[in-house]
Amino acid sequence: MKTQTLTPDRAGFDCAAALLGEGQLVAFPTETVYGLGGDARDDMAVARIFEAKGRPRFNPLIVHVPSVDVAKQYVTWNDDADRLASAFWPGPMTLVLPLKPNSGLSTLVTADLPTLAIRVPEHTVAKKLLETFGGPVAAPSANPSGKISPTSAAHVTAGLSGRIAAILDGGPCGVGLESTILGLSDTPTLLRPGGLPSEAIEAALGAPLARHHTGDPLTAPGQMTSHYAPGAPMRLNATDLHENEMLLGFGSVDATLNLSPAGDLIEAAANLFGYLHKMDALEPETIAVSPIPDHGLGRAINDRLRRAAAPRP
Ligand code: AMP
Ligand code: MG
């Protein structure tokens, strides 16, 4: 794939928005770091984000929207959210709130969690892109997994050229630090320190933030071993089918549901959570799962399948 560099003018925004509309990925500047954007409603686009970054895990992504009003379409709002959003949005603060049912967002964007991380960015280029596109944009940092976050278009090019459709070049990022992430479903909790100091947040709330300690069960929701387990036991790497089993297939096999008959890992990732739910609804005695190649996105799929198959507490 040839990665285009777009300038932040009318033609550049139109082109970037059109690419997002086709499910392609566009890197764009925010006041924190460059984000790797994809349509948050499109499973394939979100799967491409994980693929382009080479992420070994499906951790939930931050969804970017142009305004508080749009944010309220996706999450259940509360007083703390109101106070903080009035004080700090647009800006480098992400709020984690309960996901509204029928939000229309990809299950991959939340890693199938009941909560959503959402933010209104302040950077004029990010704002303009969100307005032109007119939809929610999932965007982790635009760097390969494990590498330093990019604060210029050149950093993005160095890491992701050839793996994404376009880079919207808006110059260097001002903050250069990731957004501060707050959990607001419950007691306001600092989930990740970042560009907005916690003192400022505590002053606006009029109360101290609970801290979130590494090792706490909630640190990384996606890492709780059997968080995503369907009701039925699962048998992985199934090359044959036992009696009382339904097959969640991959590749050219005869299956109840097939993650990707063509053997495409991006398509399989896009279908993963939705198909686990569908399988569950069929109430099989056991779910057998075809072997998934353990490279590229296959590693993240296998990671998630192993958690789903882990013995239940
Ligand atoms: P990045 O997109 O690379 O800036 O990382 C996003 C961060 O937000 C990760 O550390 C996620 O674990 C965290 N995050 C996203 N969604 C949620 C959520 N629903 N609950 C808790 N943390 C979240
Ligand atoms: Mg990152």
Side-chain angles (χ1 to χ4, degrees):
M1 174 184 315
K2 169 114 176 64
T3 302
Q4 306 178 56
T5 298
L6 303 172
T7 46
D9 50 25
R10 190 61 208 245
F13 285 116
D14 285 347
C15 180
L19 288 167
L20 288 174
E22 290 165 14
Q24 298 301 316
L25 305 186
V26 177
F28 63 97
T30 77
E31 68 277 22
T32 62
V33 300
Y34 269 73
L36 179 55
D39 186 340
R41 300 162 297 193
D42 181 338
D43 288 320
M44 283 296 283
V46 179
R48 286 190 185 105
I49 292 176
F50 287 96
E51 145 87 4
K53 286 180 64 79
R55 276 206 181 174
R57 289 220 165 112
F58 295 127
N59 44 347
L61 304 178
I62 298 170
V63 169
H64 296 68
V65 292
S67 68
V68 175
D69 284 342
V70 177
K72 287 177 180 171
Q73 294 172 15
Y74 296 106
V75 289
T76 306
W77 207 242
N78 61 35
D79 290 346
D80 290 329
D82 222 34
R83 218 165 276 137
L84 293 175
S86 331
F88 303 116
W89 272 358
M93 173 185 75
T94 297
L95 301 180
V96 175
L97 287 158
L99 177 68
K100 277 194 176 166
N102 307 117
S103 67
L105 297 185
S106 161
T107 48
L108 205 52
V109 94
T110 55
D112 209 27
L113 291 170
T115 51
L116 174 68
I118 196 160
R119 172 164 109 82
V120 177
E122 183 166 36
H123 197 292
T124 46
V125 173
K127 281 208 303 220
K128 195 76 201 270
L129 176 63
L130 291 171
E131 279 158 19
T132 310
F133 175 55
V137 172
S141 51
N143 54 307
S145 187
K147 296 284 163 52
I148 298 166
S149 290
T151 52
S152 72
H155 293 162
V156 181
T157 304
L160 295 176
S161 186
R163 306 183 65 87
I164 63 178
I167 301 170
L168 195 50
D169 186 350
C173 302
V175 177
L177 270 180
E178 264 101 351
S179 63
T180 302
I181 305 182
L182 301 171
L184 291 187
S185 295
D186 217 306
T187 313
T189 302
L190 181 66
L191 297 178
R192 176 179 79 184
L196 180 67
S198 52
E199 289 83 353
I201 296 163
E202 290 175 331
L205 281 175
L209 284 167
R211 304 286 149 156
H212 165 52
H213 304 283
T214 335
D216 281 1
L218 274 175
T219 300
Q223 292 175 11
M224 284 186 289
T225 318
S226 66
H227 190 90
Y228 301 95
M234 294 176 64
R235 186 170 69 87
L236 305 185
N237 297 308
T239 49
D240 56 353
L241 198 60
H242 302 171
E243 224 180 299
N244 308 325
E245 286 184 339
M246 286 188 195
L247 183 66
L248 181 60
F250 177 84
S252 56
V253 288
D254 197 7
T256 305
L257 287 173
N258 198 320
L259 290 168
S260 172
D264 174 357
L265 289 168
I266 299 179
E267 183 183 23
N271 287 330
L272 181 64
F273 291 117
Y275 281 19
L276 283 174
H277 286 290
K278 276 193 200 164
M279 260 334 228
D280 219 13
L282 300 173
E283 301 188 352
E285 242 170 71
T286 298
I287 300 171
V289 187
S290 293
I292 312 284
D294 205 38
H295 58 77
L297 270 185
R299 283 184 301 148
I301 296 171
N302 282 323
D303 168 71
R304 203 34 70 92
L305 285 171
R306 277 193 298 273
R307 289 170 208 284
R312 313 295 150 83

